[in-house]
Amino acid sequence: MEEVRVFPLTCAVQNYAWGKVGLDSEVAKLVVGGDPVAVVADGKPYAELWMGAHPKGDAQIKDNRIAQTTLGQWIAHFPACLGSKVKDTFQGQLPFLFKVLSVNTALSIQAHPNRELAARLHAQFPEHYPDNNHKPEMAIALTRFQGLCGFRPVEEILGFLKSVPEFHALVGNEAAGELLCSMGDAVLTSQVLKKCFTRMMNCEKKVFVDQLNMLVKRVTEEGAAGKDTSSSNGDMLLRLHSQYPGDIGCFSIYFLNHIVLDPGQAMFLGANEPHAYLYGDCIECMACSDNTVRAGLTPKYIDVNTLCEMLNYSPAPASSKIFPCVQDASDPCVSLYDPPVPDFTVMRIQVPASVKQYTVAPVDSASILLVIEGDATATSAAALSDVTLRRGTVLFVSANESVSLHITSQSGMDMFRACCLL
């Protein structure tokens, strides 16, 4: 029988505790949209939708003419579906994992190692670092999305050292003074910033818990008295402390940029970039890895020494962390989010209401298509039968296959597509 090369997927849901609950979660809404008989439990968190072939969440194939049950098994049988360049470059593996995240409480402050460090950590501590790959990732906001990302400009950190005595106490007079003196010398600033951050992260637990309790008490009292607490980043502090009381990560808000993405805006997180997602819904795409070095806002294993050694200590303003998308030259409906790594590219396809016939163009890579809004009938020579697309449908498209959409919704279509453009 002829091989089916375009087919819908049922994707794995991860119910991590930090996820938005029930139908407040974009993940849950997409699951129900894509599968009307799916049941969403009211009190349960729906944190992540995994669209890909990662062994911890391999997608199920929704086509009973296909013998293999999961996408990973199918790719192993038909590696040509990846496209010849992708197949050869990534040893017959799908190089990316595509996700939707619905974040209710903060994820841990973390960074992902580069390939070299990942290989070393995996060899030394396989129980904490499960593979030897790097994990660059990109988040594209679906709703207003908040996160921490990268070190703030030094002026801002010095401002907090001045106005937040409890923070100053953890960094210490000596390191704080050196940071002030390093202004204007980028190499020195980087070295001193590392010293300041490492000092704080290695503080004795009793010391930082006492300081944190004093800070929370002071900010709470000032807020109650109607005072402006923004010079202590008061709102964010109280929010994170309510989620992770007594956690050293609460102080990281004085070092790291607070990023707010509007829907459609993105941030790219390269190797060694400190970051934490705080709240909102996003599309995420990453290299296929699970390696994370954590530093706070978590009950999980914290590897402070590795983290402090590996981080990128280059201060930069929040605005510089927003990753631009570019219009695709050949298709006005497509915006490209093309990060500086080979593993993945994400396209956003926005088809206006006036267009009723649209072709998803072939690319020389396997791709995964997610429908966010809109309804259509999809036909492809490689599908052998029509596929109904609606909000939440996930479609696997083999390399060099096109898909024709007959759009039935009145308001057009909004879709995201992950692929690997080598």
Side-chain angles (χ1 to χ4, degrees), residues 42 44 78 95 121 131 137 145 153 174 177 189 195 210 225 233 236 244 257 315 322 369 399 412-414 416:
D42 284 350
K44 198 174 183 181
F78 303 107
L121 291 172
D131 57 75
E137 53 192 21
F145 191 78
E174 182 200 347
T189 295
K195 182 174 176 176
D210 284 351
N233 209 349
M236 169 102 65
Y244 298 96
N257 284 301
I322 294 180
L369 183 74
M413 299 279 290
D414 190 6
F416 284 90

Coordinates of all heavy atoms in Angstrom, one line a residue, residues 42 44 78 95 121 131 137 145 153 174 177 189 195 210 225 233 236 244 257 315 322 369 399 412-414 416:
D42 N -11.6 19.7 35.8 CA -11.6 21.1 36.4 C -10.4 21.4 37.2 O -9.8 22.5 37.0 CB -12.9 21.3 37.2 CG -14.1 21.4 36.4 OD1 -13.9 21.5 35.1 OD2 -15.2 21.3 36.9
K44 N -7.4 20.1 37.4 CA -6.1 19.6 37.0 C -5.3 20.6 36.2 O -5.9 21.2 35.4 CB -6.4 18.3 36.2 CG -5.3 17.3 36.0 CD -5.8 16.1 35.3 CE -4.7 15.1 35.2 NZ -5.2 13.9 34.4
F78 N 10.6 5.1 8.5 CA 10.6 5.9 7.2 C 11.4 7.2 7.4 O 10.9 8.3 7.3 CB 9.2 6.3 6.8 CG 8.3 5.1 6.6 CD1 7.3 4.8 7.5 CD2 8.4 4.3 5.5 CE1 6.4 3.7 7.3 CE2 7.6 3.2 5.3 CZ 6.6 2.9 6.2
P95 N 14.7 16.7 14.8 CA 15.7 17.5 15.6 C 15.0 18.4 16.6 O 15.7 19.0 17.4 CB 16.5 18.3 14.6 CG 15.6 18.4 13.4 CD 14.7 17.1 13.4
L121 N 28.3 17.0 31.3 CA 27.3 16.8 32.4 C 26.6 15.4 32.3 O 26.4 14.7 33.4 CB 26.3 17.9 32.4 CG 26.7 19.3 32.8 CD1 25.6 20.3 32.5 CD2 27.2 19.4 34.2
D131 N 20.6 13.5 28.6 CA 21.1 13.3 27.3 C 22.3 14.2 27.1 O 22.6 15.0 27.9 CB 20.0 13.5 26.2 CG 19.4 14.9 26.3 OD1 20.0 15.8 25.9 OD2 18.3 15.0 26.8
E137 N 16.1 27.2 22.9 CA 14.6 27.2 22.8 C 14.1 28.6 22.5 O 14.8 29.6 22.7 CB 14.0 26.6 24.0 CG 14.4 27.2 25.3 CD 13.9 26.5 26.6 OE1 13.7 25.3 26.5 OE2 13.9 27.1 27.6
F145 N 2.7 37.3 27.7 CA 3.5 36.3 28.4 C 4.7 36.9 29.1 O 5.3 37.8 28.6 CB 4.1 35.3 27.3 CG 4.8 34.1 27.8 CD1 4.0 33.0 28.2 CD2 6.1 34.0 27.8 CE1 4.6 31.9 28.7 CE2 6.8 32.9 28.3 CZ 6.0 31.8 28.8
P153 N 20.8 45.5 32.6 CA 21.9 46.4 32.5 C 22.5 46.7 33.9 O 21.7 46.7 34.9 CB 21.3 47.7 31.9 CG 20.1 47.1 31.1 CD 19.6 45.9 31.9
E174 N 31.8 44.3 49.3 CA 33.0 44.2 48.4 C 32.6 44.0 46.9 O 32.9 44.8 46.1 CB 33.9 43.1 48.9 CG 35.1 43.0 48.1 CD 35.8 41.6 48.2 OE1 35.3 40.8 49.1 OE2 36.7 41.3 47.4
G177 N 30.7 47.0 45.5 CA 31.6 48.1 45.2 C 32.3 47.8 43.9 O 32.5 48.7 43.1
T189 N 33.2 44.0 33.9 CA 31.8 43.9 34.4 C 31.3 42.5 34.4 O 30.6 42.1 35.4 CB 30.9 44.8 33.5 OG1 31.3 46.1 33.6 CG2 29.4 44.7 33.9
K195 N 30.8 37.2 40.0 CA 31.1 37.2 41.4 C 29.9 37.5 42.3 O 29.6 36.9 43.3 CB 32.3 38.2 41.7 CG 32.8 38.2 43.1 CD 34.0 39.1 43.2 CE 34.5 39.2 44.7 NZ 35.8 40.0 44.7
D210 N 16.5 34.7 56.3 CA 16.3 35.9 57.2 C 16.1 37.2 56.3 O 15.2 38.0 56.6 CB 17.4 36.1 58.2 CG 17.4 35.0 59.3 OD1 16.3 34.3 59.4 OD2 18.3 34.9 60.0
A225 N 0.7 50.6 53.4 CA 0.7 52.0 53.8 C 0.5 52.9 52.5 O 0.6 54.1 52.6 CB 2.0 52.4 54.5
N233 N 11.0 46.3 43.4 CA 10.3 45.3 42.5 C 9.2 44.5 43.3 O 9.1 43.3 43.2 CB 11.3 44.4 41.9 CG 10.9 43.8 40.5 OD1 9.8 44.0 40.1 ND2 11.8 43.2 39.8
M236 N 6.4 41.9 42.0 CA 7.0 40.6 41.5 C 7.5 39.8 42.7 O 7.3 38.6 42.7 CB 8.1 40.9 40.5 CG 8.9 39.7 40.1 SD 8.5 39.0 38.6 CE 9.0 40.3 37.5
Y244 N 6.9 30.4 45.9 CA 8.1 29.7 46.4 C 8.7 30.3 47.6 O 9.7 31.0 47.6 CB 9.2 29.6 45.3 CG 8.7 28.9 44.0 CD1 8.2 29.6 43.0 CD2 8.8 27.5 44.0 CE1 7.7 28.9 41.8 CE2 8.3 26.8 42.9 CZ 7.8 27.5 41.8 OH 7.3 26.9 40.7
N257 N 16.4 40.5 33.7 CA 15.4 41.3 33.1 C 14.0 40.7 33.2 O 13.8 39.5 33.0 CB 15.7 41.4 31.6 CG 16.8 42.3 31.2 OD1 16.8 43.5 31.6 ND2 17.9 41.8 30.6
P315 N 25.4 41.8 30.5 CA 24.2 42.6 30.8 C 23.7 43.2 29.5 O 24.4 43.7 28.6 CB 24.7 43.6 31.8 CG 26.2 43.6 31.7 CD 26.6 42.4 31.1
I322 N 14.0 40.5 22.9 CA 12.8 40.2 22.1 C 13.3 39.8 20.7 O 14.1 40.5 20.1 CB 11.8 41.3 22.0 CG1 11.2 41.5 23.4 CG2 10.7 41.1 21.0 CD1 10.2 42.6 23.6
L369 N 2.4 21.0 12.1 CA 1.5 22.1 11.9 C 0.5 22.1 13.0 O -0.2 21.1 13.2 CB 0.9 22.0 10.5 CG -0.1 23.2 10.1 CD1 0.8 24.4 9.7 CD2 -0.9 22.7 8.9
A399 N 8.7 15.7 4.6 CA 9.5 16.7 3.8 C 9.0 16.7 2.4 O 8.6 15.7 1.8 CB 11.0 16.3 3.8
G412 N -10.7 33.4 8.7 CA -9.4 33.0 8.3 C -8.8 31.9 9.2 O -9.5 31.2 9.9
M413 N -7.5 31.8 9.1 CA -6.7 30.8 9.8 C -5.5 31.4 10.5 O -4.9 32.3 10.0 CB -6.2 29.7 8.9 CG -7.3 28.9 8.1 SD -8.1 27.6 9.0 CE -6.8 26.4 9.2
D414 N -5.2 30.8 11.7 CA -3.9 31.2 12.4 C -3.3 29.8 12.8 O -3.9 29.0 13.5 CB -4.2 32.0 13.6 CG -3.0 32.6 14.3 OD1 -1.9 32.4 13.7 OD2 -3.1 33.2 15.3
F416 N 0.7 27.6 13.5 CA 2.1 27.6 13.7 C 2.7 26.3 13.1 O 2.1 25.3 13.3 CB 2.5 27.8 15.2 CG 2.3 29.2 15.7 CD1 1.1 29.6 16.2 CD2 3.3 30.1 15.7 CE1 0.9 30.9 16.7 CE2 3.2 31.4 16.1 CZ 1.9 31.8 16.7

